[in-house]
PDB file of all heavy atoms in Angstrom:
ATOM      1  N   ILE A 425       6.027 -16.641  10.215  1.00  0.00           N
ATOM      2  CA  ILE A 425       5.026 -15.797   9.568  1.00  0.00           C
ATOM      3  C   ILE A 425       3.713 -15.876  10.327  1.00  0.00           C
ATOM      4  O   ILE A 425       3.148 -16.961  10.510  1.00  0.00           O
ATOM      5  CB  ILE A 425       4.811 -16.222   8.102  1.00  0.00           C
ATOM      6  CG1 ILE A 425       6.117 -16.099   7.321  1.00  0.00           C
ATOM      7  CG2 ILE A 425       3.719 -15.377   7.448  1.00  0.00           C
ATOM      8  CD1 ILE A 425       6.024 -16.578   5.888  1.00  0.00           C
ATOM      9  N   SER A 438       1.271 -16.809   1.692  1.00  0.00           N
ATOM     10  CA  SER A 438       1.856 -17.463   2.870  1.00  0.00           C
ATOM     11  C   SER A 438       2.062 -18.954   2.630  1.00  0.00           C
ATOM     12  O   SER A 438       3.013 -19.547   3.150  1.00  0.00           O
ATOM     13  CB  SER A 438       0.981 -17.224   4.103  1.00  0.00           C
ATOM     14  OG  SER A 438      -0.314 -17.758   3.950  1.00  0.00           O
ATOM     15  N   SER A 461     -16.368 -21.809   4.306  1.00  0.00           N
ATOM     16  CA  SER A 461     -17.802 -22.025   4.054  1.00  0.00           C
ATOM     17  C   SER A 461     -18.164 -21.925   2.580  1.00  0.00           C
ATOM     18  O   SER A 461     -19.334 -22.016   2.225  1.00  0.00           O
ATOM     19  CB  SER A 461     -18.634 -21.005   4.854  1.00  0.00           C
ATOM     20  OG  SER A 461     -18.347 -19.678   4.435  1.00  0.00           O
ATOM     21  N   TRP A 462     -17.170 -21.758   1.717  1.00  0.00           N
ATOM     22  CA  TRP A 462     -17.451 -21.677   0.280  1.00  0.00           C
ATOM     23  C   TRP A 462     -17.502 -23.090  -0.296  1.00  0.00           C
ATOM     24  O   TRP A 462     -16.556 -23.572  -0.916  1.00  0.00           O
ATOM     25  CB  TRP A 462     -16.392 -20.823  -0.418  1.00  0.00           C
ATOM     26  CG  TRP A 462     -16.503 -19.357  -0.061  1.00  0.00           C
ATOM     27  CD1 TRP A 462     -17.344 -18.775   0.834  1.00  0.00           C
ATOM     28  CD2 TRP A 462     -15.722 -18.292  -0.608  1.00  0.00           C
ATOM     29  NE1 TRP A 462     -17.143 -17.417   0.893  1.00  0.00           N
ATOM     30  CE2 TRP A 462     -16.156 -17.100   0.023  1.00  0.00           C
ATOM     31  CE3 TRP A 462     -14.693 -18.224  -1.546  1.00  0.00           C
ATOM     32  CZ2 TRP A 462     -15.599 -15.848  -0.276  1.00  0.00           C
ATOM     33  CZ3 TRP A 462     -14.133 -16.984  -1.836  1.00  0.00           C
ATOM     34  CH2 TRP A 462     -14.590 -15.812  -1.227  1.00  0.00           C
ATOM     35  N   ARG A 480      -2.236 -25.230   2.908  1.00  0.00           N
ATOM     36  CA  ARG A 480      -1.420 -26.319   3.425  1.00  0.00           C
ATOM     37  C   ARG A 480      -0.218 -25.754   4.189  1.00  0.00           C
ATOM     38  O   ARG A 480       0.131 -24.574   4.088  1.00  0.00           O
ATOM     39  CB  ARG A 480      -0.954 -27.226   2.285  1.00  0.00           C
ATOM     40  CG  ARG A 480      -0.010 -26.552   1.304  1.00  0.00           C
ATOM     41  CD  ARG A 480       0.533 -27.529   0.281  1.00  0.00           C
ATOM     42  NE  ARG A 480       1.286 -26.840  -0.764  1.00  0.00           N
ATOM     43  CZ  ARG A 480       0.910 -26.759  -2.032  1.00  0.00           C
ATOM     44  NH1 ARG A 480      -0.220 -27.316  -2.438  1.00  0.00           N
ATOM     45  NH2 ARG A 480       1.667 -26.112  -2.910  1.00  0.00           N
ATOM     46  N   SER A 484      -3.366 -23.579  12.535  1.00  0.00           N
ATOM     47  CA  SER A 484      -4.483 -22.647  12.728  1.00  0.00           C
ATOM     48  C   SER A 484      -4.751 -22.399  14.208  1.00  0.00           C
ATOM     49  O   SER A 484      -4.890 -23.341  14.989  1.00  0.00           O
ATOM     50  CB  SER A 484      -5.753 -23.190  12.070  1.00  0.00           C
ATOM     51  OG  SER A 484      -6.891 -22.425  12.447  1.00  0.00           O
ATOM     52  N   PRO A 532      11.328  -3.531  15.387  1.00  0.00           N
ATOM     53  CA  PRO A 532      11.813  -2.736  14.256  1.00  0.00           C
ATOM     54  C   PRO A 532      12.259  -3.575  13.065  1.00  0.00           C
ATOM     55  O   PRO A 532      12.363  -3.062  11.952  1.00  0.00           O
ATOM     56  CB  PRO A 532      12.989  -1.947  14.858  1.00  0.00           C
ATOM     57  CG  PRO A 532      13.392  -2.704  16.082  1.00  0.00           C
ATOM     58  CD  PRO A 532      12.134  -3.325  16.605  1.00  0.00           C
ATOM     59  N   ILE A 535       8.819  -7.405   9.052  1.00  0.00           N
ATOM     60  CA  ILE A 535       8.333  -7.228   7.683  1.00  0.00           C
ATOM     61  C   ILE A 535       6.813  -7.360   7.746  1.00  0.00           C
ATOM     62  O   ILE A 535       6.296  -8.371   8.205  1.00  0.00           O
ATOM     63  CB  ILE A 535       8.915  -8.287   6.720  1.00  0.00           C
ATOM     64  CG1 ILE A 535      10.443  -8.341   6.815  1.00  0.00           C
ATOM     65  CG2 ILE A 535       8.441  -8.016   5.301  1.00  0.00           C
ATOM     66  CD1 ILE A 535      11.145  -7.067   6.461  1.00  0.00           C
ATOM     67  N   CYS A 537       3.384  -7.209   5.538  1.00  0.00           N
ATOM     68  CA  CYS A 537       2.806  -7.206   4.187  1.00  0.00           C
ATOM     69  C   CYS A 537       1.312  -6.946   4.266  1.00  0.00           C
ATOM     70  O   CYS A 537       0.555  -7.735   4.823  1.00  0.00           O
ATOM     71  CB  CYS A 537       3.074  -8.534   3.485  1.00  0.00           C
ATOM     72  SG  CYS A 537       2.394  -8.612   1.812  1.00  0.00           S
ATOM     73  N   ALA A 548      -9.380   3.120  -0.442  1.00  0.00           N
ATOM     74  CA  ALA A 548      -9.378   2.342   0.799  1.00  0.00           C
ATOM     75  C   ALA A 548     -10.751   1.796   1.161  1.00  0.00           C
ATOM     76  O   ALA A 548     -10.865   0.753   1.811  1.00  0.00           O
ATOM     77  CB  ALA A 548      -8.844   3.202   1.944  1.00  0.00           C
ATOM     78  N   GLY A 561     -10.686  -3.034 -13.546  1.00  0.00           N
ATOM     79  CA  GLY A 561      -9.279  -2.992 -13.934  1.00  0.00           C
ATOM     80  C   GLY A 561      -9.019  -3.254 -15.397  1.00  0.00           C
ATOM     81  O   GLY A 561      -7.866  -3.250 -15.825  1.00  0.00           O
ATOM     82  N   ALA A 597      12.052  -7.562   0.886  1.00  0.00           N
ATOM     83  CA  ALA A 597      12.193  -6.872   2.170  1.00  0.00           C
ATOM     84  C   ALA A 597      13.087  -7.655   3.122  1.00  0.00           C
ATOM     85  O   ALA A 597      13.878  -7.067   3.878  1.00  0.00           O
ATOM     86  CB  ALA A 597      10.817  -6.648   2.790  1.00  0.00           C
ATOM     87  N   SER A 600      16.629  -7.052   2.106  1.00  0.00           N
ATOM     88  CA  SER A 600      17.055  -5.738   2.551  1.00  0.00           C
ATOM     89  C   SER A 600      17.379  -5.754   4.045  1.00  0.00           C
ATOM     90  O   SER A 600      18.347  -5.123   4.493  1.00  0.00           O
ATOM     91  CB  SER A 600      15.967  -4.701   2.256  1.00  0.00           C
ATOM     92  OG  SER A 600      16.305  -3.436   2.762  1.00  0.00           O
ATOM     93  N   VAL A 610       5.439  -3.697   3.333  1.00  0.00           N
ATOM     94  CA  VAL A 610       5.261  -4.142   1.955  1.00  0.00           C
ATOM     95  C   VAL A 610       3.777  -3.980   1.613  1.00  0.00           C
ATOM     96  O   VAL A 610       2.923  -4.536   2.295  1.00  0.00           O
ATOM     97  CB  VAL A 610       5.676  -5.623   1.780  1.00  0.00           C
ATOM     98  CG1 VAL A 610       5.405  -6.090   0.354  1.00  0.00           C
ATOM     99  CG2 VAL A 610       7.135  -5.819   2.161  1.00  0.00           C
ATOM    100  N   MET A 639     -11.238 -10.100 -28.401  1.00  0.00           N
ATOM    101  CA  MET A 639     -10.960 -10.837 -29.629  1.00  0.00           C
ATOM    102  C   MET A 639     -11.126 -12.338 -29.440  1.00  0.00           C
ATOM    103  O   MET A 639     -10.610 -13.126 -30.225  1.00  0.00           O
ATOM    104  CB  MET A 639      -9.542 -10.533 -30.118  1.00  0.00           C
ATOM    105  CG  MET A 639      -9.286  -9.068 -30.446  1.00  0.00           C
ATOM    106  SD  MET A 639      -7.600  -8.760 -31.041  1.00  0.00           S
ATOM    107  CE  MET A 639      -7.588  -9.753 -32.532  1.00  0.00           C
ATOM    108  N   LEU A 675       2.058 -28.948 -43.645  1.00  0.00           N
ATOM    109  CA  LEU A 675       1.450 -30.101 -42.979  1.00  0.00           C
ATOM    110  C   LEU A 675      -0.052 -30.181 -43.230  1.00  0.00           C
ATOM    111  O   LEU A 675      -0.638 -31.271 -43.228  1.00  0.00           O
ATOM    112  CB  LEU A 675       1.736 -30.039 -41.481  1.00  0.00           C
ATOM    113  CG  LEU A 675       3.210 -30.204 -41.096  1.00  0.00           C
ATOM    114  CD1 LEU A 675       3.429 -29.863 -39.638  1.00  0.00           C
ATOM    115  CD2 LEU A 675       3.672 -31.637 -41.385  1.00  0.00           C
ATOM    116  N   GLU A 699      -9.912 -14.270 -42.997  1.00  0.00           N
ATOM    117  CA  GLU A 699      -9.816 -15.073 -44.213  1.00  0.00           C
ATOM    118  C   GLU A 699      -8.879 -16.257 -44.001  1.00  0.00           C
ATOM    119  O   GLU A 699      -9.154 -17.381 -44.437  1.00  0.00           O
ATOM    120  CB  GLU A 699      -9.318 -14.196 -45.360  1.00  0.00           C
ATOM    121  CG  GLU A 699      -9.422 -14.842 -46.736  1.00  0.00           C
ATOM    122  CD  GLU A 699      -9.065 -13.880 -47.839  1.00  0.00           C
ATOM    123  OE1 GLU A 699      -8.739 -12.708 -47.539  1.00  0.00           O
ATOM    124  OE2 GLU A 699      -9.093 -14.305 -49.010  1.00  0.00           O
ATOM    125  N   PRO A 773      14.243 -28.097  -2.252  1.00  0.00           N
ATOM    126  CA  PRO A 773      12.914 -28.097  -2.882  1.00  0.00           C
ATOM    127  C   PRO A 773      11.796 -27.798  -1.892  1.00  0.00           C
ATOM    128  O   PRO A 773      11.984 -27.821  -0.675  1.00  0.00           O
ATOM    129  CB  PRO A 773      12.802 -29.526  -3.418  1.00  0.00           C
ATOM    130  CG  PRO A 773      13.649 -30.335  -2.486  1.00  0.00           C
ATOM    131  CD  PRO A 773      14.812 -29.451  -2.150  1.00  0.00           C
TER     132      PRO A 773
END
Side-chain angles (χ1 to χ4, degrees):
I425 300 176
S438 61
S461 63
W462 290 5
R480 65 174 172 247
S484 170
I535 308 299
C537 180
S600 176
V610 177
M639 299 181 62
L675 294 169
E699 191 174 0

